[in-house]
């Protein structure tokens, strides 16, 4: 209780203290000016989330029906749409959002996408400040970034760093890969999840999502281009549609002579071990024993390649699939259907 009281008192002092004016810029070096400017632009659109969710069964047996969680989010529309992480709000019974002006308002789930670890909620207020969403395809390693969130209960906490790497892949809690992840050394802690990662102009370029436990300075953010695509589908339909083939498969090593003959650079391919009846794969003529080597223009060497390739193509449109069958390449026209359970 004493710790929580101290956190609350510090938080109140931080909100009461006047923010340095950008007019004071001559008093700061260029780095400080960039961070201060970024925070002043994106900070008003950052919210702190308090979430109540069902407790694990072992805790329910001890008489604790629910547990409390915390996270962050960023307002993306003035009528109250907020982008955050799926793992922050998934299965939440109740949600509240604390705005930068100190108000606490109720929030409801609009859509949740565990596959990308993104979700959209809506707060019961309007006329809110909105973050500027950028273009993550233009990012560069070494670029200055600023993370704003609610770590460990400290509202509107800011950390800064640089982009350490681009194009990483990260596995979501449900096991599906998220691609083009941003790696940064901007310090993140529990409660930062769902908050924005901004560039030096205060433009959101990612949504903070994960920290590797036991490693210092390795943190990840979902690129904003992915976030914009997912958010648009969640707001429009309440879900994200993803392609489904209907196969069981495994990775196998290619015969080197066949790989050379057909100019296949990867040493492996995906072998179909089973085709479920009445699925996209069955209708396309894919058979058990086929080796999938390419989907569209994307080479397929692993199951992750297969998943990521499918994610780039729209459901319901024909898609060429190259398979090795009996030592020769065969091209099949496949029309993927929606992943079961997503409708």
């Amino acid at each position: 209780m004493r710790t929580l009281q101290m956190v609350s008192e510090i938080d109140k002092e931080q909100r009461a203290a006047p923010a340095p004016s950008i007019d004071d810029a001559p008093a700061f070096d260029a780095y400080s000016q960039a961070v201060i400017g970024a925070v002043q632009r994106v900070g008003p659109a950052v919210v702190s989330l308090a979430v109540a969710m069902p407790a694990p069964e072992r805790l329910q047996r001890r008489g604790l029906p629910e547990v409390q969680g915390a996270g962050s989010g960023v307002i993306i529309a003035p009528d109250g749409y907020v982008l955050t992480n799926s793992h922050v709000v998934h299965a939440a019974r109740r949600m509240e959002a604390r705005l930068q002006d100190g108000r606490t308002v109720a929030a409801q789930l609009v859509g949740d996408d565990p596959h990308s670890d993104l979700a959209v909620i809506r707060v019961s207020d309007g006329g809110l400040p909105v973050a500027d969403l950028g273009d993550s395809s233009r990012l560069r390693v070494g670029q200055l970034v600023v993370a704003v969130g609610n770590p460990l209960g400290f509202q509107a906490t800011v950390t800064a760093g640089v982009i350490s790497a681009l194009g990483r892949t990260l596995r979501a809690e449900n096991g599906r890969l998220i691609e083009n992840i941003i790696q940064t050394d901007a310090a993140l802690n529990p409660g930062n999840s769902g908050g924005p990662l901004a560039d030096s102009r205060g433009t959101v370029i990612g949504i903070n999502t994960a920290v590797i436990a036991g490693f210092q300075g390795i943190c990840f953010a979902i690129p904003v281009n992915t976030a914009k695509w997912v958010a648009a589908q969640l707001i429009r339909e309440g879900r994200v549609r993803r392609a489904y083939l209907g196969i069981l498969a495994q990775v196998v090593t290619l015969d080197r002579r066949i790989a050379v003959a057909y100019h296949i650079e990867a040493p492996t391919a995906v072998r179909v071990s089973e085709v479920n009846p009445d699925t996209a794969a069955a209708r396309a003529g894919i058979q058990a024993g086929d080796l999938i080597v390419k989907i569209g223009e994307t080479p397929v060497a692993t199951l992750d390649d297969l998943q990521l390739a499918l994610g780039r193509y729209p459901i319901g449109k024909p898609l060429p699939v190259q398979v090795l069958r009996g030592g020769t390449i065969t091209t099949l026209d496949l029309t993927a259907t929606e992943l079961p359970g997503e409708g």
Side-chain angles (χ1 to χ4, degrees), residues 17-207:
S21 170
I22 202 69
D23 294 335
D24 297 330
F28 303 102
D29 57 38
Y31 178 85
S32 298
Q33 291 178 35
V35 174
I36 292 170
V39 172
Q40 289 183 339
R41 293 181 183 92
V42 74
V46 179
V47 302
S48 303
L49 301 178
V51 179
M53 58 190 66
E57 186 176 346
R58 58 184 177 83
L59 295 180
Q60 293 188 27
R61 289 197 298 266
R62 298 178 184 177
L64 185 64
E66 62 183 27
V67 294
Q68 306 297 316
S72 305
V74 58
I75 303 169
I76 58 173
D79 51 351
Y81 286 107
V82 177
L83 187 60
T84 185
N85 281 152
S86 169
H87 76 262
V88 171
V89 299
H90 187 70
R93 288 176 173 172
R94 297 186 308 281
M95 288 182 286
E96 289 184 338
R98 189 177 184 184
L99 308 179
Q100 289 297 311
D101 60 11
R103 289 179 296 152
T104 298
V105 295
Q108 296 79 37
L109 181 66
V110 174
D112 175 25
D113 183 44
H115 297 308
S116 64
D117 195 23
L118 291 168
V120 173
I121 64 174
R122 193 172 187 180
V123 299
S124 54
D125 208 342
L128 300 173
V130 177
D132 181 22
L133 304 184
D135 180 2
S136 50
S137 69
R138 304 179 66 180
L139 299 178
R140 297 292 182 268
V141 173
Q143 183 175 337
L144 171 67
V145 289
V146 178
V148 185
N150 182 41
L152 306 174
F154 291 92
Q155 187 185 21
T157 296
V158 176
T159 57
V162 298
I163 294 175
S164 306
L166 295 167
R168 299 294 197 216
T169 55
L170 183 67
R171 205 167 292 279
E173 290 187 352
N174 66 357
R176 192 179 182 96
L177 276 187
I178 311 172
E179 61 178 327
N180 293 328
I181 291 293
I182 302 165
Q183 181 183 326
T184 173
D185 66 352
L188 302 177
N189 288 288
N192 269 119
S193 292
L197 185 71
D199 62 16
S200 59
R201 299 184 301 276
T203 300
V204 176
I205 49 92
I207 301 297

Side-chain angles (χ1 to χ4, degrees), residues 211-285:
V211 181
I212 294 186
F215 292 83
Q216 296 293 328
I218 302 181
C219 307
F220 298 100
I222 300 164
V224 75
N225 287 5
T226 298
K228 287 189 289 188
W229 179 77
V230 170
Q233 295 204 48
L234 293 178
I235 292 171
R236 184 173 59 247
E237 301 185 28
R239 60 190 176 92
V240 177
R241 302 180 69 206
R242 285 189 171 81
Y244 170 71
L245 289 186
I247 63 173
L248 297 179
Q250 63 188 52
V251 177
V252 296
T253 302
L254 281 173
D255 184 305
R256 186 58 188 162
R257 292 170 298 178
I258 294 177
V260 170
Y262 290 102
H263 308 288
I264 301 172
E265 296 183 3
T268 61
V270 171
R271 182 182 185 275
V272 178
S273 55
E274 184 178 336
V275 179
N276 295 328
D278 195 27
T279 60
R283 288 188 287 271

Side-chain angles (χ1 to χ4, degrees), residues 254-323:
L254 281 173
D255 184 305
R256 186 58 188 162
R257 292 170 298 178
I258 294 177
V260 170
Y262 290 102
H263 308 288
I264 301 172
E265 296 183 3
T268 61
V270 171
R271 182 182 185 275
V272 178
S273 55
E274 184 178 336
V275 179
N276 295 328
D278 195 27
T279 60
R283 288 188 287 271
I286 293 177
Q287 302 174 7
D290 285 348
L291 298 178
I292 300 177
V293 295
K294 182 181 284 190
I295 291 185
E297 297 301 320
T298 305
V300 174
T302 68
L303 292 173
D304 288 338
D305 291 339
L306 179 64
Q307 174 196 303
L308 295 177
L310 285 174
R312 298 188 181 105
Y313 294 94
I315 296 169
K317 291 190 176 181
L319 175 65
V321 177
Q322 286 189 4
V323 301

